[in-house]
Amino acid sequence: LSPGLLVVAGSFAAFRLLNRGLERLVPPPPSARRNRWKWRNIWTSLAHSVLSGGGALAGFYLHPEMSNDLVGTHPPGAHSLVAVSVGYFIEDFVDMLCNQKLHQSWELLFHHSVVIICFGIAVLLHQYVGFALVALLVEINSVFLHLRQILLMANLVHTACYRLNSLINLGTYVVFRIATLAWMTRWLFLNRQNVPPAAYAVGTAGMAIMTPMNIVLFYRLLRSDFCK
C-alpha cells in the first residue's frame, strides 16, 4: 500500500474513534439528547474543519512557493493533510449512511463523493495537492457552520454568541467558500492547456457541482439567520 492510502486508513480509524468517544468528551445538553448521533457527528466535523482549514492556511503561509505551482509542488505535510481529509470524508460518509435516512442526507453524501474522488486523485498521483489544499481553505468557514449547528442543537439561538457566530459565518462564507471556489474555477479555466483532459474533466465537474450547492446553502443561511 502507498503511504498516502495508509494515512487515509489511519485518518478514517482516528475520526471513527473520536466520533465514538465524543459523548464523554462533550456530553450533549438536554435539547440534543434526542439526536445523540447528530451531536457526535457535528463535533467530529468541527474537529476536521479546525485541523484541515488551519493546516491549509499554515501550509500556504509556510510554503508560499506552493501557490505558484498547484500541480506538482507540495511539501510532504500538504499531501498528508489531503490524505487525512479523504479519511475523514469517507468516515463521515459511512456515518451518515448508517445513521440518517437517504432523503435527509443525499446532498452531503453527493458532496462527499465528489470530494473523495477529487482528493483521492491528488493523494494517489501526488499531483494537484496544492489545488486540493486551496479547496481545504473552505473548511475555515466550515468551523463556523458547525458551531452554528452546535448552538442550534444546544438551544442557544437567542444569544449574542449565536448572533456573532452568524456574522462571522456569513463573512467567512463569502471569503473562504464562494470566493475560493470562484478562484479555483478561474484557475482551471486559465490552466486548461496544462492539465490532462481526464483531470480537467474531473475538476470542472467538481466545480460545476460545488458552486451551485454552495450558492443554495448561502441563500438558506441568509434567509434563516438574517431575513426572518
Side-chain angles (χ1 to χ4, degrees), residues 31-113:
S31 56
R33 285 173 190 165
R34 290 182 181 179
N35 201 348
R36 292 175 181 271
W37 162 78
K38 187 68 175 175
W39 180 258
R40 295 194 307 270
N41 180 271
I42 295 170
W43 276 99
T44 306
S45 299
L46 177 62
H48 167 258
S49 295
V50 171
L51 173 65
S52 58
L57 206 60
F60 281 111
Y61 177 76
L62 295 172
H63 303 279
E65 71 280 0
M66 189 167 50
S67 60
N68 297 322
D69 180 12
L70 298 179
V71 178
T73 302
H74 62 270
H79 182 265
S80 296
L81 185 64
V82 176
V84 166
S85 288
V86 174
Y88 159 75
F89 282 112
I90 294 173
E91 188 279 331
D92 200 45
F93 187 98
V94 172
D95 196 36
M96 286 190 290
L97 207 58
C98 294
N99 293 285
Q100 204 169 27
K101 293 179 180 178
L102 188 60
H103 74 271
Q104 295 175 312
S105 60
W106 72 268
E107 289 182 9
L108 274 177
L109 290 174
F110 186 57
H111 167 275
H112 284 16
S113 300

Side-chain angles (χ1 to χ4, degrees), residues 15 42 44-57 81 84-86 88-89 92 108 111-112 115 119 132-147 169 172-173 175-178 180-181 184 210 214:
F15 279 109
I42 295 170
T44 306
S45 299
L46 177 62
H48 167 258
S49 295
V50 171
L51 173 65
S52 58
L57 206 60
L81 185 64
V84 166
S85 288
V86 174
Y88 159 75
F89 282 112
D92 200 45
L108 274 177
H111 167 275
H112 284 16
V115 174
F119 282 17
L133 215 65
V134 173
L136 283 177
L137 292 173
V138 168
E139 293 297 322
I140 294 171
N141 167 249
S142 295
V143 171
F144 303 100
L145 272 177
H146 298 319
L147 280 174
N169 183 30
T172 54
Y173 200 104
V175 174
F176 290 106
R177 195 172 286 268
I178 293 178
T180 297
L181 288 172
M184 290 170 69
M210 294 297 184
N214 280 282

